[in-house]
Amino acid sequence: MTDQPLVMVLNGPNLNLLGSREPQIYGHATMDDIAASLEEQAAGLGLAVDIRQSNHEGHLVDWLQEAGARGALAVILNAGALTHTSIAIHDAIKAISVPVIEVHLSNPHARDEFRHTSFVARAAKGTISGFGAASYRLALDAAGALRQ
Ligand code: DQA
């Protein structure tokens, strides 16, 4: 147990392949690299982070509900392609009182038309995209700034 405010960092489909997946778009950092960087940053900010990845939509819904039940300070969510399709994730964000910070490595608005709709953005507190792995670090700073 920790009494530090909790930030859950939830990652969706194909983000387990970071590092080898289309590195010209997503960069060379792996999910483990990003997690290590966030753990270090969180320690400096006095936050606890719980970082997870799943290829399954229902896991993300369950974890959003868990963030609500645990009274997390914030969720940082990169829902991958589910961003553009999942009303279930949209509804899960709406169902909890925890602010959700949408994150993307790439800038979906500068890419394919089908990436221009985000069901996450419609329910999220805000969005950070286009800065590669640094998007996650910017999001963790934003989460820390939510402390009263
Ligand atoms: C992504 C952008 C999505 O459009 C894509 O489906 C991903 C990754 C990003 O981090 O840039 O899987 O969420």
Side-chain angles (χ1 to χ4, degrees):
M1 273 302 285
T2 172
D3 52 9
Q4 293 178 317
L6 172 67
V7 179
M8 291 183 70
V9 183
L10 307 180
N11 295 283
N14 300 306
L15 293 166
N16 55 314
L17 298 180
L18 285 182
S20 61
R21 174 192 183 198
E22 298 184 274
Q24 72 283 5
I25 296 173
Y26 299 117
H28 293 279
T30 64
M31 185 50 69
D32 282 350
D33 294 336
I34 290 170
S37 164
L38 290 178
E39 297 274 5
E40 187 185 358
Q41 184 184 357
L45 290 169
L47 299 171
V49 281
D50 182 342
I51 303 166
R52 304 180 187 179
Q53 187 277 329
S54 176
N55 292 326
H56 304 279
E57 183 176 24
H59 288 163
L60 294 168
V61 171
D62 288 344
W63 293 342
L64 285 161
Q65 292 184 11
E66 182 184 329
R70 291 172 75 182
L73 172 68
V75 170
I76 293 171
L77 174 63
N78 185 350
L82 292 171
T83 302
H84 317 301
T85 62
S86 178
I87 296 167
I89 289 174
H90 169 278
D91 286 358
I93 297 169
K94 286 285 199 183
I96 62 174
S97 54
V98 179
V100 171
I101 303 168
E102 178 186 23
V103 157
H104 300 285
L105 295 131
S106 67
N107 175 1
H109 291 282
R111 300 179 61 198
D112 322 81
E113 189 82 31
F114 61 80
R115 297 182 203 277
H116 295 182
T117 294
S118 170
F119 289 103
V120 171
R122 292 177 190 215
K125 174 112 179 131
T127 300
I128 298 170
S129 64
F131 298 95
S135 290
Y136 286 87
R137 294 182 64 86
L138 293 165
L140 191 56
D141 277 338
L146 292 172
R147 273 179 298 199
Q148 315 247 330

